[in-house]
Short mmCIF file of all heavy atoms in Angstrom, two decimals:
data_model
loop_
_atom_site.label_atom_id
_atom_site.label_comp_id
_atom_site.label_asym_id
_atom_site.label_seq_id
_atom_site.Cartn_x
_atom_site.Cartn_y
_atom_site.Cartn_z
N LEU A 42 139.58 90.89 89.49
CA LEU A 42 139.19 89.60 90.06
C LEU A 42 137.64 89.57 90.12
O LEU A 42 137.03 90.51 90.64
CB LEU A 42 139.77 89.45 91.45
CG LEU A 42 139.32 88.25 92.24
CD1 LEU A 42 139.93 87.00 91.73
CD2 LEU A 42 139.70 88.42 93.70
N CYS A 44 134.74 88.18 91.95
CA CYS A 44 134.58 87.51 93.22
C CYS A 44 133.13 87.35 93.56
O CYS A 44 132.42 88.37 93.62
CB CYS A 44 135.35 88.28 94.30
SG CYS A 44 135.52 87.27 95.81
N VAL A 46 129.99 86.97 95.94
CA VAL A 46 129.64 87.26 97.35
C VAL A 46 128.15 87.10 97.57
O VAL A 46 127.42 86.86 96.55
CB VAL A 46 130.13 88.66 97.78
CG1 VAL A 46 131.64 88.72 97.83
CG2 VAL A 46 129.54 89.69 96.81
N PHE A 53 129.48 90.63 106.55
CA PHE A 53 130.20 89.64 105.69
C PHE A 53 130.38 90.16 104.30
O PHE A 53 131.49 90.19 103.74
CB PHE A 53 129.50 88.30 105.66
CG PHE A 53 129.67 87.58 106.95
CD1 PHE A 53 128.85 87.80 108.08
CD2 PHE A 53 130.71 86.70 107.15
CE1 PHE A 53 129.11 87.12 109.28
CE2 PHE A 53 130.98 86.09 108.30
CZ PHE A 53 130.15 86.27 109.41
N GLY A 64 132.97 94.15 104.15
CA GLY A 64 132.67 93.03 104.99
C GLY A 64 133.84 92.04 105.05
O GLY A 64 134.88 92.24 104.45
N PHE A 65 133.60 90.96 105.84
CA PHE A 65 134.63 89.98 106.13
C PHE A 65 134.98 89.21 104.87
O PHE A 65 136.13 89.07 104.54
CB PHE A 65 134.09 89.10 107.26
CG PHE A 65 135.12 88.14 107.78
CD1 PHE A 65 136.29 88.64 108.41
CD2 PHE A 65 134.89 86.77 107.69
CE1 PHE A 65 137.19 87.69 108.95
CE2 PHE A 65 135.84 85.89 108.17
CZ PHE A 65 137.01 86.33 108.85
N ASP A 66 133.95 88.73 104.20
CA ASP A 66 134.21 87.92 103.00
C ASP A 66 134.78 88.86 101.89
O ASP A 66 135.65 88.43 101.12
CB ASP A 66 132.89 87.35 102.46
CG ASP A 66 132.51 86.14 103.30
OD1 ASP A 66 133.38 85.52 103.90
OD2 ASP A 66 131.26 85.85 103.38
N VAL A 67 134.29 90.07 101.87
CA VAL A 67 134.80 91.08 100.90
C VAL A 67 136.25 91.26 101.16
O VAL A 67 137.04 91.40 100.20
CB VAL A 67 133.95 92.35 101.04
CG1 VAL A 67 134.70 93.50 100.29
CG2 VAL A 67 132.58 92.16 100.54
N GLY A 68 136.69 91.31 102.43
CA GLY A 68 138.11 91.42 102.76
C GLY A 68 138.97 90.35 102.17
O GLY A 68 140.07 90.60 101.66
N ILE A 69 138.46 89.12 102.12
CA ILE A 69 139.21 88.02 101.58
C ILE A 69 139.40 88.29 100.04
O ILE A 69 140.45 88.14 99.47
CB ILE A 69 138.48 86.72 101.76
CG1 ILE A 69 138.23 86.43 103.28
CG2 ILE A 69 139.26 85.55 101.14
CD1 ILE A 69 139.40 86.12 104.05
N CYS A 70 138.27 88.71 99.35
CA CYS A 70 138.36 88.97 97.96
C CYS A 70 139.39 90.04 97.70
O CYS A 70 140.24 89.93 96.74
CB CYS A 70 137.03 89.50 97.43
SG CYS A 70 135.71 88.35 97.53
N ARG A 71 139.34 91.12 98.52
CA ARG A 71 140.28 92.20 98.27
C ARG A 71 141.73 91.77 98.53
O ARG A 71 142.65 92.19 97.77
CB ARG A 71 139.94 93.39 99.20
CG ARG A 71 138.57 94.04 98.88
CD ARG A 71 138.53 95.43 99.46
NE ARG A 71 137.18 96.02 99.35
CZ ARG A 71 136.74 96.57 98.25
NH1 ARG A 71 137.51 96.63 97.16
NH2 ARG A 71 135.51 97.07 98.24
N ALA A 72 141.93 90.85 99.46
CA ALA A 72 143.31 90.37 99.78
C ALA A 72 143.78 89.64 98.56
O ALA A 72 144.97 89.80 98.15
CB ALA A 72 143.29 89.53 101.00
N VAL A 73 142.91 88.76 97.96
CA VAL A 73 143.37 88.02 96.79
C VAL A 73 143.73 88.95 95.67
O VAL A 73 144.71 88.78 94.95
CB VAL A 73 142.30 86.94 96.45
CG1 VAL A 73 142.71 86.24 95.14
CG2 VAL A 73 142.13 85.95 97.56
N ALA A 74 142.84 89.94 95.48
CA ALA A 74 143.05 90.83 94.35
C ALA A 74 144.38 91.59 94.57
O ALA A 74 145.16 91.82 93.64
CB ALA A 74 141.91 91.84 94.26
N ALA A 75 144.65 91.99 95.82
CA ALA A 75 145.85 92.70 96.14
C ALA A 75 147.09 91.80 95.88
O ALA A 75 148.07 92.24 95.38
CB ALA A 75 145.85 93.21 97.54
N ALA A 76 146.98 90.52 96.27
CA ALA A 76 148.05 89.58 96.13
C ALA A 76 148.35 89.35 94.67
O ALA A 76 149.52 89.35 94.20
CB ALA A 76 147.80 88.30 96.84
N VAL A 84 138.56 94.47 92.11
CA VAL A 84 137.65 93.43 92.29
C VAL A 84 136.26 93.74 91.70
O VAL A 84 135.79 94.86 91.98
CB VAL A 84 137.45 92.98 93.78
CG1 VAL A 84 136.81 91.70 93.91
CG2 VAL A 84 138.80 93.03 94.50
N PHE A 86 132.64 92.67 92.38
CA PHE A 86 131.85 91.88 93.30
C PHE A 86 130.58 91.37 92.59
O PHE A 86 129.90 92.24 92.06
CB PHE A 86 131.55 92.62 94.56
CG PHE A 86 132.80 92.84 95.40
CD1 PHE A 86 133.44 94.02 95.41
CD2 PHE A 86 133.30 91.82 96.16
CE1 PHE A 86 134.59 94.21 96.08
CE2 PHE A 86 134.43 91.99 96.92
CZ PHE A 86 135.13 93.19 96.86
N MET A 105 136.33 83.13 92.05
CA MET A 105 136.32 82.46 93.37
C MET A 105 135.02 82.89 94.07
O MET A 105 134.38 83.93 93.73
CB MET A 105 137.51 82.89 94.22
CG MET A 105 137.60 84.39 94.47
SD MET A 105 138.95 84.84 95.54
CE MET A 105 138.34 84.42 97.18
N LEU A 106 134.61 82.04 95.02
CA LEU A 106 133.35 82.34 95.73
C LEU A 106 133.69 82.53 97.19
O LEU A 106 134.25 81.67 97.86
CB LEU A 106 132.38 81.16 95.56
CG LEU A 106 131.00 81.27 96.22
CD1 LEU A 106 130.22 82.39 95.58
CD2 LEU A 106 130.29 79.98 96.05
N ALA A 107 133.42 83.72 97.66
CA ALA A 107 133.65 83.98 99.15
C ALA A 107 132.35 84.40 99.69
O ALA A 107 132.02 85.58 99.82
CB ALA A 107 134.73 85.06 99.33
N ARG A 108 131.51 83.39 99.99
CA ARG A 108 130.09 83.74 100.26
C ARG A 108 129.65 82.86 101.42
O ARG A 108 128.84 81.94 101.19
CB ARG A 108 129.24 83.54 99.03
CG ARG A 108 127.83 83.98 99.23
CD ARG A 108 126.91 83.25 98.24
NE ARG A 108 125.54 83.69 98.47
CZ ARG A 108 124.77 83.16 99.36
NH1 ARG A 108 125.18 82.19 100.13
NH2 ARG A 108 123.52 83.62 99.50
N VAL A 125 139.40 76.05 99.66
CA VAL A 125 140.88 76.26 99.88
C VAL A 125 141.19 76.47 101.33
O VAL A 125 142.35 76.61 101.68
CB VAL A 125 141.33 77.48 99.03
CG1 VAL A 125 141.12 77.21 97.58
CG2 VAL A 125 140.59 78.75 99.44
N ILE A 127 139.38 77.39 105.55
CA ILE A 127 138.24 77.83 106.37
C ILE A 127 138.49 79.15 107.01
O ILE A 127 139.54 79.36 107.62
CB ILE A 127 137.92 76.76 107.44
CG1 ILE A 127 137.54 75.47 106.81
CG2 ILE A 127 136.85 77.28 108.40
CD1 ILE A 127 137.54 74.30 107.74
N ASN A 128 137.65 80.15 106.69
CA ASN A 128 137.89 81.43 107.30
C ASN A 128 136.97 81.79 108.39
O ASN A 128 137.15 82.77 109.10
CB ASN A 128 137.91 82.57 106.22
CG ASN A 128 136.52 82.80 105.62
OD1 ASN A 128 135.64 81.98 105.83
ND2 ASN A 128 136.36 83.84 104.83
N TYR A 129 135.97 80.90 108.60
CA TYR A 129 135.10 81.11 109.79
C TYR A 129 134.47 79.80 110.13
O TYR A 129 133.79 79.09 109.37
CB TYR A 129 134.03 82.12 109.39
CG TYR A 129 133.25 82.64 110.63
CD1 TYR A 129 133.65 83.78 111.31
CD2 TYR A 129 132.23 81.94 111.12
CE1 TYR A 129 133.00 84.20 112.44
CE2 TYR A 129 131.51 82.34 112.24
CZ TYR A 129 131.95 83.50 112.86
OH TYR A 129 131.27 83.94 114.00
N GLY A 233 134.19 78.79 104.07
CA GLY A 233 135.47 79.17 103.45
C GLY A 233 135.29 79.51 101.98
O GLY A 233 134.30 79.20 101.39
N PRO A 234 136.35 80.14 101.42
CA PRO A 234 136.36 80.51 100.03
C PRO A 234 136.56 79.20 99.19
O PRO A 234 137.23 78.28 99.67
CB PRO A 234 137.40 81.46 99.81
CG PRO A 234 138.31 81.32 101.00
CD PRO A 234 137.54 80.71 102.14
N LEU A 235 136.02 79.18 97.96
CA LEU A 235 136.19 78.04 97.13
C LEU A 235 136.39 78.38 95.71
O LEU A 235 136.08 79.51 95.28
CB LEU A 235 135.01 77.03 97.21
CG LEU A 235 133.60 77.49 96.85
CD1 LEU A 235 132.73 76.37 96.47
CD2 LEU A 235 132.98 78.16 98.06
N VAL A 247 144.74 81.25 96.09
CA VAL A 247 143.72 81.75 97.01
C VAL A 247 144.01 81.14 98.41
O VAL A 247 143.90 81.81 99.44
CB VAL A 247 142.30 81.33 96.48
CG1 VAL A 247 141.26 81.80 97.53
CG2 VAL A 247 142.08 81.93 95.15
N THR A 250 146.87 82.92 100.10
CA THR A 250 146.51 84.28 100.49
C THR A 250 145.85 84.24 101.79
O THR A 250 146.09 85.02 102.68
CB THR A 250 145.67 84.94 99.38
OG1 THR A 250 146.34 84.79 98.14
CG2 THR A 250 145.44 86.37 99.69
N LEU A 251 144.88 83.31 101.89
CA LEU A 251 144.11 83.17 103.17
C LEU A 251 145.08 82.83 104.28
O LEU A 251 145.05 83.42 105.38
CB LEU A 251 143.04 82.13 103.05
CG LEU A 251 142.21 81.77 104.26
CD1 LEU A 251 141.52 83.01 104.78
CD2 LEU A 251 141.19 80.65 103.99
N ASN A 252 146.02 81.85 104.03
CA ASN A 252 146.96 81.44 105.00
C ASN A 252 147.87 82.58 105.41
O ASN A 252 148.30 82.70 106.54
CB ASN A 252 147.76 80.27 104.51
CG ASN A 252 146.97 79.01 104.53
OD1 ASN A 252 146.02 78.90 105.30
ND2 ASN A 252 147.37 78.00 103.76
N LEU A 254 147.11 85.70 105.56
CA LEU A 254 146.37 86.59 106.48
C LEU A 254 146.46 86.00 107.94
O LEU A 254 146.58 86.72 108.89
CB LEU A 254 144.97 86.76 106.05
CG LEU A 254 144.73 87.43 104.68
CD1 LEU A 254 143.25 87.57 104.43
CD2 LEU A 254 145.35 88.82 104.66
N ILE A 255 146.29 84.64 107.96
CA ILE A 255 146.20 84.01 109.24
C ILE A 255 147.64 84.03 109.93
O ILE A 255 147.77 84.39 111.08
CB ILE A 255 145.70 82.58 109.10
CG1 ILE A 255 144.28 82.58 108.63
CG2 ILE A 255 145.86 81.76 110.42
CD1 ILE A 255 143.74 81.24 108.27
N ALA A 304 148.52 91.73 100.17
CA ALA A 304 147.29 91.12 100.66
C ALA A 304 146.99 91.54 102.08
O ALA A 304 145.85 91.90 102.43
CB ALA A 304 147.40 89.56 100.60
N ALA A 307 145.96 95.25 102.35
CA ALA A 307 144.66 95.55 101.77
C ALA A 307 143.61 95.76 102.87
O ALA A 307 142.83 96.73 102.82
CB ALA A 307 144.20 94.40 100.87
N GLY A 308 143.59 94.91 103.84
CA GLY A 308 142.55 95.12 104.88
C GLY A 308 143.07 94.68 106.24
O GLY A 308 142.28 94.62 107.20
N GLY A 309 144.30 94.40 106.34
CA GLY A 309 144.86 93.96 107.62
C GLY A 309 144.90 92.47 107.68
O GLY A 309 144.43 91.75 106.77
N ASN A 310 145.46 91.94 108.76
CA ASN A 310 145.52 90.47 108.86
C ASN A 310 144.17 89.85 109.25
O ASN A 310 143.18 90.62 109.46
CB ASN A 310 146.63 90.06 109.84
CG ASN A 310 146.39 90.62 111.26
OD1 ASN A 310 145.21 90.67 111.72
ND2 ASN A 310 147.43 90.91 111.98
N TYR A 311 144.15 88.58 109.50
CA TYR A 311 142.90 87.88 109.75
C TYR A 311 142.18 88.53 110.94
O TYR A 311 141.04 88.84 110.88
CB TYR A 311 143.19 86.40 110.01
CG TYR A 311 141.88 85.60 110.31
CD1 TYR A 311 141.14 85.12 109.32
CD2 TYR A 311 141.52 85.44 111.65
CE1 TYR A 311 139.97 84.40 109.56
CE2 TYR A 311 140.32 84.71 111.91
CZ TYR A 311 139.59 84.23 110.88
OH TYR A 311 138.42 83.56 111.12
N LEU A 314 140.76 91.99 110.13
CA LEU A 314 139.53 91.85 109.33
C LEU A 314 138.35 91.48 110.19
O LEU A 314 137.27 92.05 110.02
CB LEU A 314 139.73 90.75 108.21
CG LEU A 314 140.38 91.15 106.94
CD1 LEU A 314 140.50 89.95 106.04
CD2 LEU A 314 139.54 92.20 106.20
N ASN A 318 135.09 94.05 110.87
CA ASN A 318 133.83 93.80 110.21
C ASN A 318 132.79 93.16 111.11
O ASN A 318 131.58 93.47 111.05
CB ASN A 318 134.07 92.91 109.01
CG ASN A 318 134.81 93.61 107.96
OD1 ASN A 318 134.42 94.70 107.49
ND2 ASN A 318 135.94 93.07 107.56
#
Side-chain angles (χ1 to χ4, degrees):
Chain A
L42 170 74
C44 193
V46 290
F53 285 87
F65 187 63
D66 287 333
V67 168
I69 304 289
C70 296
R71 293 200 189 279
V73 174
V84 193
F86 291 100
M105 60 177 281
L106 180 65
R108 185 203 180 276
V125 297
I127 293 168
N128 66 350
Y129 192 93
L235 57 157
V247 181
T250 307
L251 176 62
N252 286 338
L254 298 181
I255 295 172
N310 62 32
Y311 180 86
L314 276 178
N318 293 304

